[in-house]
């Protein structure tokens, strides 16, 4: 082979290597995920941009179907119990990669045809008011790349603003509007565009603490024994599938697992709740969008279960 042939061979090898390298080399950044309203229960991982403000109310009407037993069985609810919830979420981009949001809920409960009547023989009641307010900070630790998801850390405090203590037996439990304890939550949110599906996931750990001067008790024979609320692990997963530029299909899985607690003691058995949310989203414009779904409690232990239609509207300013 002459010098001309060698030169041609070298040029061909270099050209093939250049093409192979371009094919092999992954782009530094993945394509941006589509615009969506976001999940109904699962929290997002990407914080709102600095200086941006969003308002997002949720309307939900929960119909209690019954209670899960300690063996994952189902028991009667013992009446008709309905709960209306209107949490309003205020979201603000506080700094680059840092979002703060507050959730202020209104709750109204109804009880009817209750099998175990109240002290005056009443079998129906209703009560409404402010629920437990929460304040959260979300900070993006890692930005999404071709191979890794967005990873954000979440810190949240829940305040016992909902009516809980001094309940009136005549209201048949309808006046229980909150947990009656502070909730301190640490967690991680993840998000990844796995075209054609956008995935969000949460893993949170919440510790409960009674308000100062307030101690919850349970009856143990003739004695009242002080107890502590259990800690809670939440694991959520949401997949959004854009059907068109305006319509998005949504499917979520949610779970709540009682554990511990790390501090204090608790005498009641742990509860577990697992469910799904099928839904759909619609994008009116970059400023307005909405989502509609139904939360279905599918399985659990020592926990009530319900069927809950949810509608959410978000406005970006």
């Amino acid at each position: 082979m002459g010098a001309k042939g060698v030169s041609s061979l070298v040029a061909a090898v270099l050209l093939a290597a250049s093409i192979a390298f371009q094919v092999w080399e992954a782009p530094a950044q993945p394509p941006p995920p589509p615009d969506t309203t976001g999940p109904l229960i699962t929290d997002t991982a990407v914080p709102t941009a600095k200086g941006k403000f969003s308002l997002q109310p949720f309307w939900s009407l929960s119909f209690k179907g019954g209670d899960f037993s300690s063996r994952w069985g189902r028991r009667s609810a013992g009446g008709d119990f309905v709960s209306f919830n209107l949490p309003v979420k205020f979201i603000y981009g506080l700094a680059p990669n840092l979002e703060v949001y507050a959730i202020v809920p209104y709750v109204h409960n109804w009880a009817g045809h209750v099998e175990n009547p109240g002290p005056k023989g009443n079998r129906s009641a209703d009560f409404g008011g402010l629920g437990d307010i929460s304040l959260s900070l979300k900070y993006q630790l890692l930005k999404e790349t071709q191979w890794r998801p967005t990873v954000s850390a979440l810190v949240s405090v829940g305040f016992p603003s909902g009516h809980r203590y001094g309940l009136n037996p005549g209201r048949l439990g309808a006046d229980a509007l909150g947990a009656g304890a502070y909730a301190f939550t640490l967690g991680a949110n993840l998000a990844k565009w796995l075209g054609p599906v956008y995935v969000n996931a949460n893993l949170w750990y919440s510790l409960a603490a009674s308000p100062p001067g307030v101690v919850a008790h349970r009856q143990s024979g003739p004695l009242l024994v002080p107890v502590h609320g259990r800690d809670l692990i939440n694991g959520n997963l949401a997949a959004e599938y854009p059907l068109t530029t305006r319509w998005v299909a949504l499917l979520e899985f949610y779970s709540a697992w009682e554990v511990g607690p790390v501090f204090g003691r608790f005498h009641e058995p742990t509860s577990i709740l697992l469910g799904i949310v099928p839904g759909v989203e619609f994008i009116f414009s970059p400023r307005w969008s909405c989502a509609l779904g139904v939360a279905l409690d599918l399985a659990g232990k020592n926990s009530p279960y319900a069927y809950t239609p949810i509608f959410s509207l978000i406005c970006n300013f």
Side-chain angles (χ1 to χ4, degrees), residues 51-62:
K52 298 295 184 180
F53 173 72
S54 298
L55 181 67
Q56 185 173 19
F58 297 79
W59 291 267
S60 69
L61 193 62
S62 180

Side-chain angles (χ1 to χ4, degrees), residues 287-300:
R287 183 173 182 180
W288 293 93
S289 62
C290 66
L292 175 66
V294 181
L296 306 170
D297 298 338
L298 298 182

Side-chain angles (χ1 to χ4, degrees), residues 53-88:
F53 173 72
S54 298
L55 181 67
Q56 185 173 19
F58 297 79
W59 291 267
S60 69
L61 193 62
S62 180
F63 300 88
K64 183 178 178 180
D67 295 285
F68 290 117
S69 69
S70 59
R71 298 182 178 229
W72 301 81
R74 292 175 181 251
R75 297 191 299 251
S76 169
D80 299 328
F81 299 93
V82 180
S83 181
F84 170 73
N85 286 268
L86 176 55
V88 181

